Each structure stands twice: as C-alpha cells, then as structure tokens.
Amino acid sequence: MPSSDHLLDLIRSTPEIDLLLRTSFGFDIHRKHNGDGLGLASGAPLEPIAGEWAGGAYLLCAEQDGRRPVVFASSEGQGGLLAEDLADALEIIIGLAWHDCLGFSGGGDLDVMQTSARHLERSRGRDNPDIDQDAAQVAAALSLRVLPVTDLVVRLHAAASKTEPDHLVTDGGQAYDPLFGEHSEPRHGGWR
C-alpha cells in the first residue's frame, strides 16, 4: 500500500483526482483547517489532512507499526477511527456511503450496517450516476482497490469498534461521541 505522504502528494499533483475526491466523495485536501485544535484523549497529536462539506475533518494519527491511522471528526461532535491507514480510508471513502452507514448502524451492529449499506448504495447511484466510474478512476490513479461494499462495511465496523481508548477524539479536553449512530434506518419513511 502507498504511504500517506505519497498518496497526499499524488492527490495534490493530480488536479482531476483532487477534484473527484472533493466533489464526488467529500475528501477535500484544501480544507485541512477543519481539524484545527483536535487531539486524541491520549494526548497524541493529530495532523489534519482534509475536510468535508459539512465541516468534518480527516486526521492522521502518529505512526503505529509502520502505518498512520486515520480518524474522522464530524462538526456535530462524533469522532473515531476510520481506518488503519490513508489507503484503507480512501478505499472506504470512494467505495461506500460510509458516514451514513455508521449513522444508521443500530449502535454499531454489523448486520444493521450491512443492511444500511445496501440501501445507501442504491441512493448513492441515483444521486450520482457516475459514482462507480469516479471511484474506479480515483482507485486507478492512487493504486487503490475497488472492493465489494460488504467487505468495506466489515473493515469500517472493525476500525470504528477500535476507537477507544487509543483513537478517542477530543476538542479542548471534551471527548467526541462515537461514530456509530443509534438508528437502524431513517426515522421518517424508513428505507425507500
């Protein structure tokens, strides 16, 4: 897998990939300020690397066993481990409606997440008919894999489940809530 620095350099030096990540997948390296002031409960530093439309931030942790884990912190106060390194995080970001999958996880239930992911994939394709093509283009340019949604859900669940204690996001000493949402489907109308 490519290193975090190498991937970020590729994104910066490839404007069309930078644009696709920003517009199709909500990973904007030009919004690094979104994560200013955030840290880990352990006191370990975080490096903001990207932001997203709603004010959330993607942050790199210090190196662990040759990898730099990625945490996500939302603007609404949820945060936690997204993946073991940036390559894994980007595979999840381009391959899955991951934020909503976590939001509709029934408190972190893997089966509920798999059901949510199936519903979210249908709406993701309706909202952006080119999303699969965009994902394939980003994956090819960054030497990433395009994985089945079911596999991505398992990886996402495993990472988010390992948030505590080492990847608990804080802001001014206040701990963020977990990434897992309590709902198993949208409250108004359910899955359509």
Side-chain angles (χ1 to χ4, degrees), residues 83-133:
E84 295 295 328
D85 62 29
L86 184 56
D88 286 352
L90 287 169
E91 288 174 353
I92 289 169
I93 290 165
I94 68 172
L96 177 66
W98 71 269
H99 198 271
D100 287 335
C101 187
L102 285 169
F104 299 113
S105 69
D109 184 297
L110 180 57
D111 291 332
V112 171
M113 287 178 69
Q114 292 288 6
T115 299
S116 295
R118 285 192 298 275
H119 290 288
L120 290 164
E121 278 307 293
R122 286 196 298 272
S123 63
R124 184 171 123 134
R126 281 193 307 265
D127 294 344
N128 182 351
D130 297 327
I131 196 80
D132 290 337
Q133 180 182 341

Side-chain angles (χ1 to χ4, degrees), residues 10 54 81 98 140 154 165 174 176 189:
L10 277 174
L81 186 63
W98 71 269
V154 168
Q174 189 75 4
Y176 272 44

Side-chain angles (χ1 to χ4, degrees), residues 8-185:
L8 291 169
D9 287 345
L10 277 174
I11 294 166
R12 279 190 285 273
S13 66
T14 315
E16 59 274 10
I17 298 305
D18 177 17
L19 180 64
L20 281 176
L21 282 168
R22 191 170 353 123
T23 58
S24 293
F25 304 106
F27 184 87
D28 187 349
I29 62 171
H30 307 283
R31 290 184 184 224
K32 292 193 299 189
H33 64 278
N34 286 17
D36 289 345
L38 299 179
L40 293 177
S42 66
L46 289 172
E47 177 187 344
I49 56 168
E52 49 98 50
W53 309 302
Y58 297 94
L59 306 115
L60 282 176
C61 300
E63 188 173 316
Q64 300 171 3
D65 301 321
R67 300 173 89 181
R68 293 194 67 191
V70 176
V71 297
F72 178 80
S74 78
S75 60
E76 292 83 32
Q78 296 90 21
L81 186 63
L82 180 61
E84 295 295 328
D85 62 29
L86 184 56
D88 286 352
L90 287 169
E91 288 174 353
I92 289 169
I93 290 165
I94 68 172
L96 177 66
W98 71 269
H99 198 271
D100 287 335
C101 187
L102 285 169
F104 299 113
S105 69
D109 184 297
L110 180 57
D111 291 332
V112 171
M113 287 178 69
Q114 292 288 6
T115 299
S116 295
R118 285 192 298 275
H119 290 288
L120 290 164
E121 278 307 293
R122 286 196 298 272
S123 63
R124 184 171 123 134
R126 281 193 307 265
D127 294 344
N128 182 351
D130 297 327
I131 196 80
D132 290 337
Q133 180 182 341
D134 293 349
Q137 186 176 349
V138 170
L142 301 180
S143 300
L144 302 173
R145 300 166 294 180
V146 176
L147 298 169
V149 168
T150 54
D151 293 354
L152 293 172
V153 171
V154 168
R155 287 173 46 189
L156 178 62
H157 179 269
S161 295
K162 293 192 306 187
T163 293
E164 291 190 45
D166 296 332
H167 299 99
L168 188 62
V169 178
T170 62
D171 186 4
Q174 189 75 4
Y176 272 44
D177 291 330
L179 289 172
F180 292 123
E182 293 301 317
H183 300 289
S184 57
E185 63 182 39

